[in-house]
Amino acid sequence: MKKSKTIILAVFCCLLWGLVFPVLKLLYGELNIIDNYAKITLAGMRFFSAGVIVLIYYTLSFKIFPKIKSFTEFGKLTVLGFFQTGLLYAFFFIGSSNITGVKSAVLSQFDIFFVVFLAHFLLHNEKINSKKIIGVILGLLGMVVVNINSLGDTKSLLSFSLMGEGFIIISGIFAAIGTIIAKKLGKDLNAILLNGWQLTLGGGLLLIFGLINYGKLIYFPNSFSLILFICLILISALAFTTWYRILRHTKASEITIYKFMIPIIGAIASAIIVPGESLSIYSFLGLVLVSIGIYFSNKK
């Protein structure tokens, strides 16, 4: 794949992922979801639907049913779906609902730094160097800065909760594990097929878990909430499929350089779209540090 095409596709993916934060916050507001199991059910509905759409697209494009060839392949795809979709978004959906879209956009990029470390041990020719270490330090510093409350808050200079910021960071660990697994599986499987099945299987696990504990599907009270939900489905289907295609031809620790756009797009979009959210000086400084850190982590 040509470098110019890789950059265009990577930027496109980051643009889509950045828009998830404000769209998700708006959808939560429309649905008035408080129960955590309801959030997991919503995540399951979203990713299972996205996976089915991708598999249908695969069938129409290649004129062949997207079957899984062996039990071993099924096991690998299930593991990928469990980490990349199941665990990742179970923690992400709950965490993002308990903090602002701006903070979610920044903290969710923790997976980039985990990828750098995991790739060093699990992937060939993706070793940690001094620039990557500097990048990780800058990125972690940015994570701390973005958690500093506004000057008007006299209770604490730092704001952190397990169910909010903590869950977002944990989701980043699972995202990194999923990236490494996808990199390995991508050598042998078509990117569309890989993403379709991991979304379907991972989303299915989320949906089953949510339904067992919540007891029902999520109802959309108006057309606006349904449109927001459809947007999230399409973003998942398109962004992940494109990203897996790039990942197949590019080093995992190098392609993440383009993800510096996600927190910037997400934070700016949240500040513009979501009522009551804005870019504070701490959020801005955190974004700058995280972006520089991600850049250094992947700079040759």
Side-chain angles (χ1 to χ4, degrees), residues 217-250:
L217 295 173
I218 302 300
Y219 168 73
F220 300 97
N222 52 56
S223 58
F224 181 59
S225 62
L226 181 59
I227 291 173
L228 290 173
F229 180 66
I230 293 175
C231 286
L232 290 174
I233 291 175
L234 295 178
I235 287 174
S236 298
L238 189 55
F240 273 111
T241 299
T242 305
W243 193 258
Y244 284 168
R245 182 184 176 188
I246 302 171
L247 194 60
R248 184 175 185 177
H249 303 282
T250 312

Side-chain angles (χ1 to χ4, degrees), residues 135-153:
V136 170
I137 294 174
L138 287 172
L140 293 176
L141 181 59
M143 302 300 176
V144 174
V145 171
V146 79
N147 273 283
I148 299 178
N149 291 334
S150 63
L151 295 176
D153 183 7

Side-chain angles (χ1 to χ4, degrees), residues 34-55:
I34 300 177
D35 188 275
N36 287 330
Y37 292 122
K39 298 169 187 174
I40 293 177
T41 302
L42 179 66
M45 291 170 59
R46 170 191 171 187
F47 294 111
F48 181 79
S49 299
V52 171
I53 290 176
V54 173
L55 292 177

